[in-house]
Amino acid sequence: MAGLSVPGMPSPTHLPVLDGDRAWETIAALIDERKPDAVADAVRDLDAAGRRAVARALPGHLRLLRARREPWEGIDDYAPAFRAAGAGTLTGASAVATWLNRREFNTRWFGDHDDTALLLDLWADRDDAWLADLARRLTLRLRGPRHIGLDLVLALLTETGIEPPEHDPLVVGWVSSAPPRPKDPLLPFLLPRVFEADGVGRRLRDNPSWPRTLATLADRGVVGRRMLLDGCVRRFLRGGTANDLRFFVRLHGLLMPDDPAAREREIREHALDYVRLLPAAPGPVADVALGLLREVPGLPSEQVVEALDGVLFRAESGLVKSGLSWLEQTVQRRPGLAGDCAAALAQAFAHTSYSVQQRAVRVALKLPAAADGTPITGAVPLLPPDLGAEAAARFGGDVARPEPADEPPPLIAPVTPAPGPLPPPITTAAELAAGIHDAELDWAGIERMLAAFAELTWRDAEGVRAALAPVVQRENFYPRLDDAPRWTWADHWLLAAARRLTRTVPLPPDWRQRVPSPGQVIGPHLLYLSRCAEIVAAVEHDALPPLLLATPTEPTGHLDPATFVDRLEVLQDAGADPGPADLQQALLRLPRDLGPEAARRAAALSSPAGRTAARWLAAGGLPVPVVSMRPFAGGAPEAVISAPPTGLPLVDAVFTAPPRNIGWEHGWYKPTWPRLLPSHPEVAAAHVLPHLGPTRYPFGTGMSVGAFVEVTRGDGPFAEAVGHFLARELVQRRHDQADGALLTMAARGDLPAAELGRHIGRLALDGEIQPVRIIEALERAAEAGAYAQIWDVIAAALPVLCPEPGERPVHGLKRLIALGRRTARWSGARGAIPEVEVLAARKGSSDLVREARALAAQLQA
């Protein structure tokens, strides 16, 4: 065979009959070369003994190949060759079916194998009974939603001509494979099952060709129209969601005859079924059923009454209004039914839509006298007071009293705990050794480790070496220290410093190149890693200082100015120099209000570091950057940082806006950055800003709004980004953190309400968020006491969401306006919103227009 190259072997098309061992060696070599066609050619030339030998050896070879790969790796590339070998050597249909459906050959990452022709050719000498048995077994092993092996199953069923076994995934796979074809031998078997198999409706719901083709086949007499119509109605009665039944609704509509007489016969045939669909079927199905029943005059009275009772009970306003119109027309033509229909009409009095209740009262008032004294009287209290008064004037009954205005709830904001105290310093070498491999170290723990490493080594280097030597030979990092091209974790550098000190495990010769360059990480992280790398370099040159300048003295990350000068004096007296990164980090940790005393004391220092510190202390500290954001319209937000150059390279890198594309390791320590820059929270927020958004794999590339506003105010320079991402987070299934962020900002007074409202409107109109979910989120916040801020949000969203004439409003707009009425009343808001005024001025009495009128009147009161 072309392309086959096994040294010393004849061409597979001329293979001699081999003994068992040689047969297996040949097949195994071809499997390893991943050549299914060559495997099939070789299998055909085996005798019975050779096939038995290959069949016995296949499972072991499969285990061997699996062992050569990592647990998460598959062997999909070997699967076609293995399938061909098993299909040609295994004897029983059961064994072949089991082999072809092994989990290793059908992973989620691999599609179908496209080997149907090859396998059918291998089975050319099998008898019909064996093929039929295999077809049944493979059919029953089909599984959705991917239906791997479907092509082979359909080919076998077609080849054998047997009736397929009952199996829903077969039917779903068959309808997915192609539109119905008149000459398909499976059509008579599988088409009737389309109406019974679960999953068919979901698969065909957006498929326009299937219903059109079936209607065409019915017109030509290829399939029975009666069978299809009965199947649709049967499927409706079985129930399901609107999505599950959409295909059948479309098919049912195409199958109904155009001829009026024939159409009426069809409707009468299924009239009782349509009646029974009305109470509980999904809206589209109930709408079809109601429309068909209304077409037929003279339906039996009991069917009409039952139908009205079912439809007027429903929640959908459109269906109930259509039912009320039918009731009104029916009573006009058949006044004797007024009393029987009254109970159904009374149900509409309890509807949640004011316009439905209004229409029901108008219909009730037109009823003949026979309807007086019926259940309508008992339903009057269910109406709003104004409509109840109208109905009670004729039918009697109690009128509901207006509900008293509810009191606004108090604001319940999450309590943000103050930073806990700093951990106590490490005082022993044993404690230092225990922390080297602690994966739970936070920023304060890392600072504690760095400080202890310097101080303990200065006092007792031999004792520290002895304590660290046993622990530095193992590491818990992935990738390993030697394998990582960049050491982007502080833990990496701690271990490297310990190894350099003990000299038990050598560092890579190029360890200095493991420090990321300024173009590879953003400013705060470069500062963090540079300070760690300085310690390794100091150990190598035996120049480790007796202490670190930048170790914080406050849980916020601040460094007390007096302590800063004390440390500079200690270093000067010891003749030691702090690392440049350590000095620059210390300057960034000084508070903005320095006071004159620290500057006075620093002026007496003579060391280079002391003179640098004295200069900045005399100037009142480092400059305060101006932070802003580029125009934002969704996507990744970008910050702008403006500050005069300081001549301190790491400080200048921190005071530079982060790059647009940032890898995950750059964000790994983003919760630490505010502690590196406690006096410049807006700069820390600017560096965190690119991470704002949903968390994505791998870890570290997303930050919630709740975490972001712990760093900075929500209404600051990044208000547009906060509003955008908060709107997105509030509609997620796990929205607790977003709810807390909204309430926290409401309590602090920095919720960007206008920005949040505008983004809610735009995202809802663009289909990016579900309006109902965002309204639920705003309702939760209002009930938690943030009603004044929520009104501001709604007031900004309504100008975006109010539809222009001829436009459809977004789903839930009425509910949003109703929430606006409540929050505006609680907060005493006044002032017209022009877009709401325009909506309120429209003709008609829809619920949306009624709510708009009520809100407009309230804002002008």
mmCIF file of all heavy atoms in Angstrom, residues 169-188:
data_model
loop_
_atom_site.group_PDB
_atom_site.id
_atom_site.type_symbol
_atom_site.label_atom_id
_atom_site.label_comp_id
_atom_site.label_asym_id
_atom_site.label_seq_id
_atom_site.Cartn_x
_atom_site.Cartn_y
_atom_site.Cartn_z
ATOM 1 N N PRO A 169 -31.422 8.622 21.169
ATOM 2 C CA PRO A 169 -30.260 9.254 20.536
ATOM 3 C C PRO A 169 -30.115 8.918 19.053
ATOM 4 O O PRO A 169 -29.578 9.720 18.282
ATOM 5 C CB PRO A 169 -29.077 8.714 21.349
ATOM 6 C CG PRO A 169 -29.654 8.434 22.695
ATOM 7 C CD PRO A 169 -31.036 7.922 22.418
ATOM 8 N N LEU A 170 -30.593 7.734 18.628
ATOM 9 C CA LEU A 170 -30.552 7.404 17.195
ATOM 10 C C LEU A 170 -31.424 8.383 16.414
ATOM 11 O O LEU A 170 -31.024 8.893 15.359
ATOM 12 C CB LEU A 170 -31.016 5.973 16.972
ATOM 13 C CG LEU A 170 -31.265 5.596 15.503
ATOM 14 C CD1 LEU A 170 -29.970 5.627 14.705
ATOM 15 C CD2 LEU A 170 -31.944 4.231 15.387
ATOM 16 N N VAL A 171 -32.625 8.658 16.913
ATOM 17 C CA VAL A 171 -33.543 9.539 16.201
ATOM 18 C C VAL A 171 -32.987 10.961 16.158
ATOM 19 O O VAL A 171 -33.009 11.633 15.123
ATOM 20 C CB VAL A 171 -34.929 9.518 16.878
ATOM 21 C CG1 VAL A 171 -35.918 10.360 16.075
ATOM 22 C CG2 VAL A 171 -35.433 8.094 17.013
ATOM 23 N N VAL A 172 -32.441 11.421 17.289
ATOM 24 C CA VAL A 172 -31.868 12.767 17.330
ATOM 25 C C VAL A 172 -30.680 12.866 16.370
ATOM 26 O O VAL A 172 -30.527 13.856 15.636
ATOM 27 C CB VAL A 172 -31.441 13.127 18.768
ATOM 28 C CG1 VAL A 172 -30.776 14.497 18.798
ATOM 29 C CG2 VAL A 172 -32.643 13.105 19.700
ATOM 30 N N GLY A 173 -29.830 11.838 16.376
ATOM 31 C CA GLY A 173 -28.700 11.844 15.453
ATOM 32 C C GLY A 173 -29.139 11.791 14.004
ATOM 33 O O GLY A 173 -28.564 12.466 13.138
ATOM 34 N N TRP A 174 -30.181 11.018 13.725
ATOM 35 C CA TRP A 174 -30.671 10.893 12.335
ATOM 36 C C TRP A 174 -31.199 12.234 11.827
ATOM 37 O O TRP A 174 -30.871 12.649 10.716
ATOM 38 C CB TRP A 174 -31.768 9.831 12.298
ATOM 39 C CG TRP A 174 -32.420 9.665 10.961
ATOM 40 C CD1 TRP A 174 -31.861 9.180 9.823
ATOM 41 C CD2 TRP A 174 -33.785 9.990 10.638
ATOM 42 N NE1 TRP A 174 -32.773 9.175 8.797
ATOM 43 C CE2 TRP A 174 -33.968 9.670 9.264
ATOM 44 C CE3 TRP A 174 -34.846 10.493 11.355
ATOM 45 C CZ2 TRP A 174 -35.179 9.850 8.621
ATOM 46 C CZ3 TRP A 174 -36.058 10.675 10.709
ATOM 47 C CH2 TRP A 174 -36.219 10.351 9.359
ATOM 48 N N VAL A 175 -31.993 12.947 12.641
ATOM 49 C CA VAL A 175 -32.518 14.225 12.160
ATOM 50 C C VAL A 175 -31.400 15.251 12.025
ATOM 51 O O VAL A 175 -31.528 16.210 11.251
ATOM 52 C CB VAL A 175 -33.631 14.759 13.089
ATOM 53 C CG1 VAL A 175 -34.775 13.782 13.181
ATOM 54 C CG2 VAL A 175 -33.093 15.110 14.468
ATOM 55 N N SER A 176 -30.296 15.054 12.753
ATOM 56 C CA SER A 176 -29.176 15.982 12.656
ATOM 57 C C SER A 176 -28.325 15.739 11.424
ATOM 58 O O SER A 176 -27.597 16.628 10.980
ATOM 59 C CB SER A 176 -28.276 15.872 13.898
ATOM 60 O OG SER A 176 -29.020 16.030 15.075
ATOM 61 N N SER A 177 -28.411 14.526 10.875
ATOM 62 C CA SER A 177 -27.478 14.155 9.811
ATOM 63 C C SER A 177 -27.828 14.780 8.466
ATOM 64 O O SER A 177 -26.931 15.115 7.685
ATOM 65 C CB SER A 177 -27.437 12.628 9.672
ATOM 66 O OG SER A 177 -28.705 12.120 9.292
ATOM 67 N N ALA A 178 -29.112 14.955 8.182
ATOM 68 C CA ALA A 178 -29.517 15.487 6.866
ATOM 69 C C ALA A 178 -31.016 15.740 6.883
ATOM 70 O O ALA A 178 -31.740 15.193 7.730
ATOM 71 C CB ALA A 178 -29.163 14.495 5.752
ATOM 72 N N PRO A 179 -31.531 16.572 5.957
ATOM 73 C CA PRO A 179 -32.989 16.718 5.840
ATOM 74 C C PRO A 179 -33.617 15.392 5.417
ATOM 75 O O PRO A 179 -32.941 14.500 4.900
ATOM 76 C CB PRO A 179 -33.151 17.792 4.749
ATOM 77 C CG PRO A 179 -31.819 18.465 4.658
ATOM 78 C CD PRO A 179 -30.808 17.449 5.022
ATOM 79 N N PRO A 180 -34.907 15.225 5.638
ATOM 80 C CA PRO A 180 -35.564 13.968 5.246
ATOM 81 C C PRO A 180 -35.522 13.775 3.727
ATOM 82 O O PRO A 180 -35.752 14.713 2.964
ATOM 83 C CB PRO A 180 -36.992 14.136 5.752
ATOM 84 C CG PRO A 180 -37.184 15.610 5.905
ATOM 85 C CD PRO A 180 -35.849 16.171 6.243
ATOM 86 N N ARG A 181 -35.217 12.534 3.325
ATOM 87 C CA ARG A 181 -35.105 12.205 1.892
ATOM 88 C C ARG A 181 -36.107 11.116 1.555
ATOM 89 O O ARG A 181 -36.216 10.117 2.283
ATOM 90 C CB ARG A 181 -33.690 11.743 1.561
ATOM 91 C CG ARG A 181 -32.620 12.785 1.862
ATOM 92 C CD ARG A 181 -31.219 12.266 1.555
ATOM 93 N NE ARG A 181 -30.887 11.079 2.314
ATOM 94 C CZ ARG A 181 -30.429 11.083 3.562
ATOM 95 N NH1 ARG A 181 -30.274 12.238 4.201
ATOM 96 N NH2 ARG A 181 -30.139 9.959 4.192
ATOM 97 N N PRO A 182 -36.824 11.263 0.444
ATOM 98 C CA PRO A 182 -37.857 10.268 0.106
ATOM 99 C C PRO A 182 -37.298 8.858 -0.028
ATOM 100 O O PRO A 182 -37.982 7.876 0.301
ATOM 101 C CB PRO A 182 -38.421 10.784 -1.229
ATOM 102 C CG PRO A 182 -38.068 12.237 -1.260
ATOM 103 C CD PRO A 182 -36.794 12.380 -0.517
ATOM 104 N N LYS A 183 -36.063 8.724 -0.506
ATOM 105 C CA LYS A 183 -35.508 7.391 -0.757
ATOM 106 C C LYS A 183 -34.703 6.854 0.420
ATOM 107 O O LYS A 183 -34.057 5.811 0.299
ATOM 108 C CB LYS A 183 -34.628 7.433 -2.005
ATOM 109 C CG LYS A 183 -35.415 7.759 -3.280
ATOM 110 C CD LYS A 183 -34.530 7.703 -4.509
ATOM 111 C CE LYS A 183 -35.330 8.001 -5.782
ATOM 112 N NZ LYS A 183 -34.492 7.950 -7.006
ATOM 113 N N ASP A 184 -34.739 7.550 1.520
ATOM 114 C CA ASP A 184 -34.023 7.066 2.706
ATOM 115 C C ASP A 184 -34.736 5.835 3.245
ATOM 116 O O ASP A 184 -35.902 5.912 3.660
ATOM 117 C CB ASP A 184 -33.994 8.180 3.765
ATOM 118 C CG ASP A 184 -33.196 7.779 4.998
ATOM 119 O OD1 ASP A 184 -32.726 6.635 5.077
ATOM 120 O OD2 ASP A 184 -33.039 8.637 5.900
ATOM 121 N N PRO A 185 -34.078 4.673 3.275
ATOM 122 C CA PRO A 185 -34.753 3.465 3.761
ATOM 123 C C PRO A 185 -35.118 3.545 5.239
ATOM 124 O O PRO A 185 -35.949 2.761 5.705
ATOM 125 C CB PRO A 185 -33.727 2.347 3.501
ATOM 126 C CG PRO A 185 -32.418 3.030 3.351
ATOM 127 C CD PRO A 185 -32.708 4.382 2.800
ATOM 128 N N LEU A 186 -34.498 4.466 5.996
ATOM 129 C CA LEU A 186 -34.822 4.584 7.416
ATOM 130 C C LEU A 186 -36.013 5.500 7.664
ATOM 131 O O LEU A 186 -36.521 5.561 8.779
ATOM 132 C CB LEU A 186 -33.608 5.120 8.176
ATOM 133 C CG LEU A 186 -32.350 4.245 8.146
ATOM 134 C CD1 LEU A 186 -31.213 4.930 8.896
ATOM 135 C CD2 LEU A 186 -32.633 2.880 8.751
ATOM 136 N N LEU A 187 -36.471 6.235 6.641
ATOM 137 C CA LEU A 187 -37.557 7.189 6.815
ATOM 138 C C LEU A 187 -38.825 6.546 7.381
ATOM 139 O O LEU A 187 -39.393 7.071 8.355
ATOM 140 C CB LEU A 187 -37.846 7.893 5.490
ATOM 141 C CG LEU A 187 -38.858 9.043 5.538
ATOM 142 C CD1 LEU A 187 -38.272 10.228 6.283
ATOM 143 C CD2 LEU A 187 -39.256 9.466 4.114
ATOM 144 N N PRO A 188 -39.301 5.419 6.853
ATOM 145 C CA PRO A 188 -40.542 4.832 7.408
ATOM 146 C C PRO A 188 -40.400 4.414 8.864
ATOM 147 O O PRO A 188 -41.372 4.434 9.618
ATOM 148 C CB PRO A 188 -40.788 3.616 6.501
ATOM 149 C CG PRO A 188 -39.999 3.876 5.265
ATOM 150 C CD PRO A 188 -38.799 4.651 5.691
#
